[in-house]
């Protein structure tokens, strides 16, 4: 991408200001995946951290902290992946795969023998017994582990095997190792015990964490989906107090052959699932992709309802050769609604090549498909990667409203036909009035705030 074009890609960050309109990230964004929350990717983050790259893939939206007794877990029958394109062709060159395994463990109560396969008192209805101090505590009765595998260059490497997943923050009696009612930016004992990597062996150069965290995305969902009802105050973060399941990976930048990367996360399920009469499940067949997430908000409010499931099953490398996806990106509905509601004077006319450039071209201008693009040679700020603190709702809404609607040949802004300024200026006030997360982020890995307690 030329210097003027790259500058126009990044200048939208400077447009952040107080505003009065919003849209939402990829929480429950498509009909099929809304019924499969364990495979529903909510957000993808990627930012430069010194000489490293931090990758965060969040799943399982709208996690209520007190949602017991079956608290939210990764699914053993889902293949979770973070995929990275480093050549600009839209195909993954590096893939990090997470596979999970769930065990039911006995409670510490004394046994009185076993009757018909049931061991009274030790076969508990509880998710965890009181006193969980770390991620491997025997008091965690529904215990999860995971294997992390790297695929690149036709080979694969197991980075971690049987690594512990951090437990849910049930409450002050069950999980006293988590912060309860007190806010903190320090790493708590349970989180610390679930951070792996370093030392020697395959994981030496990595830091890895998997488990529940505070949902870092901040947005006013309720007014957004009530036909953009922004007629009054207050604007609230509707994800405040809710959790997600996070996979966090910090890797050295030397892991990649280029600073220009495209990043997305996917979830896949086996092609066939059979339910047995005894309540169990059998699976067979290859993996079928059911969730896809790169840039925030694309499937949520750019892709029309009848194409959302199709988009979740699609692959970035096919985007620009798929007429439906090209038509959707270059002829979006949302700007027309913004105009109809009076938030902008005029929707930028189609075809929206500015949005196609933003969403489907990498930081060198290569047509790679829709994904989160980052140039790790410069500082991170969305849309160049995505930090936890980036107010992507405001930035992305302004982009759809016309912030990038310029004459890309020379990087100059496109003007409104009535001479009333530029499309970019008209869109500069769009936003939702929710400008920060409800909890402060950690200053060290895994960076996301601790999960909210179900009983503080």
């Amino acid at each position: 991408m030329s210097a003027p074009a790259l500058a126009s890609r990044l200048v939208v960050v400077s447009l952040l200001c107080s505003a009065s309109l919003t849209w939402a990230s990829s929480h429950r964004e498509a009909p099929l995946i809304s019924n499969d929350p364990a495979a529903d990717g909510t957000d993808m983050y990627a930012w430069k951290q010194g000489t490293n790259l931090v990758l965060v893939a969040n799943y399982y939206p709208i996690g209520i902290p007190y949602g017991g007794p079956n608290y939210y877990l990764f699914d053993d029958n889902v293949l979770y992946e973070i995929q990275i394109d480093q050549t600009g062709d839209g195909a993954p060159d590096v893939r990090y795969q997470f596979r999970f395994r769930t065990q039911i463990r006995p409670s510490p109560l004394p046994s009185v023998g076993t009757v018909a396969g049931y061991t009274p008192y030790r076969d508990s209805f509880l998710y965890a017994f009181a006193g969980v101090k770390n991620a491997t505590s025997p008091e965690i009765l529904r215990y999860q582990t995971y294997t992390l595998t790297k695929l690149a260059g036709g080979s694969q490497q197991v980075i971690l095997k049987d690594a512990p997943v951090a437990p849910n923050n049930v409450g002050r009696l069950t999980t006293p190792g988590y912060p309860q009612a007190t806010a903190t930016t320090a790493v708590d004992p349970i989180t610390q015990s679930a951070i792996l990597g370093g030392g020697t062996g395959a994981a030496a150069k990595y830091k890895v964490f998997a488990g529940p965290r505070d949902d870092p995305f901040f947005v006013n969902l309720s007014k957004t989906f009530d036909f953009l009802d922004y007629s009054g105050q207050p604007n609230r973060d509707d994800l405040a107090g809710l959790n997600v399941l996070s996979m966090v990976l910090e890797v050295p930048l030397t892991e990649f052959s280029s600073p220009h990367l495209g990043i997305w996360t996917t979830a896949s399920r086996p092609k066939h699932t059979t339910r047995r009469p005894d309540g169990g499940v059998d699976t067979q067949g290859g993996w079928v992709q059911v969730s896809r997430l790169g840039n925030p908000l694309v499937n949520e409010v750019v892709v029309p309802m009848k194409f959302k499931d199709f988009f979740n099953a699609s692959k970035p490398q096919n985007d620009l050769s798929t007429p439906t996806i090209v038509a959707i990106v270059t002829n979006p509905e949302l700007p027309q609604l913004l105009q109809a509601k009076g938030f902008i004077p005029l929707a930028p006319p189609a075809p929206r090549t500015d949005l196609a450039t933003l969403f489907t071209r990498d930081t060198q201008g290569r047509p790679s498909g829709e994904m989160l693009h980052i140039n790790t040679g410069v500082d991170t700020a969305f849309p160049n990667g995505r930090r936890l603190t980036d107010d992507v709702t405001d930035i992305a809404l302004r982009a759809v409203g016309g912030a990038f609607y310029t004459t890309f040949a020379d990087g100059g802004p496109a003007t409104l036909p009535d001479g009333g300024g530029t499309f970019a200026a008209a869109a500069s006030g769009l936003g939702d009035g929710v400008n920060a997360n409800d909890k402060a982020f950690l200053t060290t890995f895994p960076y996301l705030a601790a999960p909210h307690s179900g009983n503080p």
Side-chain angles (χ1 to χ4, degrees), residues 97-140:
Q97 296 184 338
F98 289 79
R99 292 295 313 277
F100 293 86
R101 178 172 176 263
T102 305
Q103 306 170 54
I104 304 298
R105 305 197 293 191
S107 84
L109 290 175
S111 173
V112 294
T114 299
V115 179
Y118 165 54
T119 304
Y121 318 137
R122 288 179 65 79
D123 287 342
S124 178
F125 69 90
L126 294 170
Y127 164 81
F129 213 72
V132 174
K133 301 293 199 312
N134 58 62
T136 59
S137 290
E139 291 84 4
I140 304 171

Side-chain angles (χ1 to χ4, degrees), residues 26-344:
S26 295
H27 296 59
R28 296 174 51 81
E29 80 284 358
L32 285 179
I33 203 65
S34 65
N35 292 320
D36 189 6
D40 187 357
T42 67
D43 287 282
M44 182 75 222
Y45 299 84
W47 70 89
K48 180 182 177 183
Q49 184 77 21
T51 59
N52 293 338
L53 180 68
V54 179
L55 303 166
V56 178
N58 288 341
Y59 282 79
Y60 220 125
I62 322 295
I64 301 171
Y66 48 85
N70 293 295
Y71 292 87
Y72 310 104
L73 298 178
F74 294 103
D75 195 316
D76 295 8
N77 291 319
V78 171
L79 171 64
Y80 300 92
E81 296 186 273
I82 298 174
Q83 309 200 40
I84 300 177
D85 169 25
Q86 56 189 3
T87 59
D89 63 358
D93 300 298
V94 180
R95 297 156 66 189
Y96 299 101
Q97 296 184 338
F98 289 79
R99 292 295 313 277
F100 293 86
R101 178 172 176 263
T102 305
Q103 306 170 54
I104 304 298
R105 305 197 293 191
S107 84
L109 290 175
S111 173
V112 294
T114 299
V115 179
Y118 165 54
T119 304
Y121 318 137
R122 288 179 65 79
D123 287 342
S124 178
F125 69 90
L126 294 170
Y127 164 81
F129 213 72
V132 174
K133 301 293 199 312
N134 58 62
T136 59
S137 290
E139 291 84 4
I140 304 171
L141 306 185
R142 200 173 178 201
Y143 178 67
Q144 278 201 312
T145 57
Y146 66 94
T147 295
L148 170 61
T149 305
K150 174 188 173 183
L151 286 75
S155 63
Q156 64 180 40
Q157 177 188 33
V158 176
I159 297 172
L160 291 171
K161 186 175 178 60
D162 297 327
V165 176
N168 283 268
N169 189 357
V170 176
R172 57 191 178 88
L173 299 183
T174 301
T175 48
Y178 272 132
Q180 298 298 319
T182 304
T184 178
T185 58
V187 179
D188 59 85
I190 291 180
T191 298
Q192 185 63 58
S193 68
I195 297 174
L196 300 178
T200 60
K205 59 184 178 181
Y206 301 95
K207 292 180 182 178
V208 190
F209 171 89
R213 306 307 288 170
D214 160 68
D215 190 336
F217 188 61
F218 44 96
V219 67
N220 190 333
L221 288 173
S222 52
K223 291 188 176 183
T224 299
F225 294 112
D226 189 15
F227 207 73
L228 309 181
D229 179 23
Y230 290 93
S231 56
Q233 300 291 332
N235 294 314
R236 68 187 186 197
D237 178 8
D238 287 315
L239 300 178
L242 301 176
N243 297 327
V244 290
L245 295 178
S246 300
M247 291 164 281
V248 189
L249 181 62
E250 186 167 343
V251 304
L253 291 173
T254 54
E255 185 97 336
F256 311 106
S257 62
S258 170
H260 304 281
L261 306 175
I263 302 169
W264 69 104
T265 181
T266 61
S268 302
R269 284 194 176 277
K271 186 174 183 179
H272 300 289
T273 299
T274 304
R275 297 192 177 276
R276 302 194 307 262
D278 64 359
V281 171
D282 294 321
T283 62
Q284 61 181 349
W287 295 107
V288 176
Q289 181 180 301
V290 297
S291 178
R292 164 189 170 183
L293 178 61
N295 277 293
L297 315 166
V298 171
N299 202 6
E300 191 90 2
V301 297
V302 176
V303 179
M305 188 68 69
K306 76 176 187 177
F307 297 111
K308 288 180 179 293
D309 295 327
F310 167 76
F311 184 82
N312 264 345
S314 65
K315 301 182 185 304
Q317 67 203 72
N318 299 325
D319 285 349
L320 295 177
S321 61
T322 304
T324 299
I325 292 179
V326 173
I328 288 169
V329 172
T330 56
N331 298 269
E333 172 193 13
L334 183 57
Q336 305 302 319
L337 296 179
L338 296 177
Q339 177 184 331
K341 294 280 292 186
F343 294 118
I344 56 176

Side-chain angles (χ1 to χ4, degrees), residues 374-410:
I374 183 171
N375 176 3
T376 61
V378 298
D379 291 339
T380 304
F382 184 77
N384 183 50
R386 182 184 179 188
R387 302 167 299 182
L388 296 174
T389 54
D390 285 337
D391 194 344
V392 297
T393 298
D394 289 5
I395 299 170
L397 179 61
R398 293 167 193 177
V400 170
F404 281 110
Y405 197 70
T406 61
T407 55
F408 272 92
D410 60 10

Side-chain angles (χ1 to χ4, degrees), residues 427-453:
S428 64
L430 298 175
D432 67 341
V434 180
N435 302 317
N437 191 44
D438 61 313
K439 295 182 75 172
F441 298 118
L442 307 185
T443 56
T444 58
F445 189 89
Y447 305 108
L448 291 82
H452 296 272
S453 171

